Amino acid sequence: MSTKKEEHPLKKVCIICAKGSIEDVYATLVMANGAVMEGIEAKVFFTFFGLDAITKKQMNKLHTSTVGNPAMRMPGGLPFPTLLGTLPGIEAGVSAMMKKQMEALDMPPVDEFLDMITAGGGEIYACKLAADMFKLEKKDLCDHVIDIITIGAFYELAGGENTQIIFT
Amino acid sequence: MATKNYAGVAIDVNDEGYLTDPAQWTKEVAAELAKEEEIELTDKHYEVLQFLREETAKGSPLTIRKVGKSGIVDIKGLYELFPGGPLKKSSRIAGIDKPSSCV
């Protein structure tokens, strides 16, 4: 048996984003943008709370949860008490700080990030079931959304060799 | 590290084909590097390469967002100039290090 490892470079990634917190949405956006920057086809499917990332009214107002997140730290590294996270304004403050730190690393706001991904040929889709559930129509969604489709239709787009589906 | 012949000059490159000494870069070397990526360089390409080299010399990390805001080309245009690797290919052709940013 040959010991030479055969490499099959990725050709396509299909990313499903079901959550609407800053970190979940940005994980999706960074992966999608990173793919198109490497010449890998990227298709993104936003569903459930992930729809906030492509809903005009919400997309640039995402928050990160300050409750029940054991990895959350105070500036300086001390643990962030969950009770503190429940106080009014704390979540907004922490979210604003995260966005500021990301901006310093040249991570754009959500709308601009979607501009970048689609400029590179990435495709954005919304989940029909979730859109129906949240009573959202195409006009409520960002213009980069190609269509509101079923998961079945998304799987049809996910065919082909060396394709991966990633769920964030 | 290896040496490769570009435009009649021996150039130091690393395993991935990136120049290890940006000072060895010339426009002629760029044209040959571009050929390896199947890109024919135009004035617009050179403007982008110059921008990348200047920013790198300043020590600021490169992102496609930064290039998009340079006023030279927008991000869509950057993808058109360097298909399949807007920052990776352009950095290699510009004779600078492989980009280390994720955006």
Side-chain angles (χ1 to χ4, degrees):
Chain A
M1 226 173 84
S2 161
T3 52
K4 195 173 176 293
K5 205 174 120 202
E6 261 190 82
E7 295 279 350
H8 298 285
L10 260 182
K11 283 193 187 145
K12 189 185 339 181
V13 288
C14 297
I15 307 172
I16 300 174
C17 178
K19 293 178 210 141
S21 69
I22 293 178
E23 62 272 26
D24 290 303
V25 168
Y26 271 81
T28 302
L29 297 175
V30 169
M31 280 193 280
N33 182 63
V36 288
M37 277 177 72
E38 294 291 322
I40 299 167
E41 220 182 301
K43 299 185 193 293
V44 193
F45 186 71
F46 288 93
T47 184
F48 288 102
F49 296 104
L51 282 178
D52 266 10
I54 49 169
T55 304
K56 281 178 194 158
K57 266 192 193 159
Q58 307 296 342
M59 57 196 305
N60 286 327
K61 296 182 194 154
L62 301 182
H63 275 190
T64 194
S65 174
T66 48
V67 173
N69 180 357
M72 178 77 71
R73 304 261 189 285
M74 307 277 267
L78 286 172
F80 191 98
T82 286
L83 273 177
L84 177 61
T86 63
L87 297 178
I90 294 289
E91 189 179 281
V94 167
S95 301
M97 206 160 111
M98 283 223 341
K99 285 179 195 165
K100 212 173 119 197
Q101 286 169 345
M102 290 195 299
E103 179 67 43
L105 292 170
D106 225 5
M107 299 251 276
V110 173
D111 56 350
E112 195 191 332
F113 221 155
L114 289 168
D115 290 344
M116 284 166 60
I117 293 165
T118 51
E123 296 175 5
I124 311 294
Y125 297 93
C127 167
K128 181 165 187 316
L129 185 69
D132 288 349
M133 195 178 122
F134 292 131
K135 310 224 170 354
L136 291 169
E137 292 172 42
K138 185 88 169 42
K139 64 172 170 42
D140 301 315
L141 304 176
C142 132
D143 295 338
H144 289 308
V145 176
I146 293 181
D147 206 357
I148 302 177
I149 62 174
T150 63
I151 185 63
F154 188 67
Y155 282 146
E156 280 174 29
L157 299 172
E161 249 183 301
N162 301 324
T163 299
Q164 294 288 337
I165 296 186
I166 304 169
F167 189 85
T168 61
Chain B
M1 210 171 89
T3 308
K4 238 180 135 180
N5 210 9
Y6 288 111
V9 192
I11 306 280
D12 299 324
V13 294
N14 68 13
D15 296 343
E16 291 181 294
Y18 287 80
L19 267 62
T20 53
D21 178 7
Q24 291 181 328
W25 184 88
T26 61
K27 281 190 159 192
E28 291 71 35
V29 171
E32 293 206 5
L33 286 164
K35 244 178 239 162
E36 291 183 342
E37 305 283 1
E38 292 172 5
I39 294 168
E40 194 75 45
L41 293 185
T42 62
D43 289 347
K44 201 78 186 159
H45 286 96
Y46 279 114
E47 271 183 63
V48 174
L49 299 179
Q50 205 57 47
F51 175 77
L52 297 178
R53 288 178 60 81
E54 281 163 15
E55 287 299 311
T56 304
K58 279 190 232 161
S60 44
L62 292 170
T63 61
I64 55 167
R65 189 183 187 212
K66 191 176 274 175
V67 183
K69 291 195 168 165
S70 64
I72 298 168
V73 69
D74 62 9
I75 293 178
K76 198 165 185 186
L78 184 65
Y79 273 96
E80 279 159 13
L81 291 177
F82 302 95
L87 199 55
K88 233 166 72 170
K89 288 186 183 174
S90 56
S91 294
R92 192 170 99 83
I93 298 167
I96 55 175
D97 286 347
K98 187 176 174 177
S100 59
S101 84
C102 287
V103 280

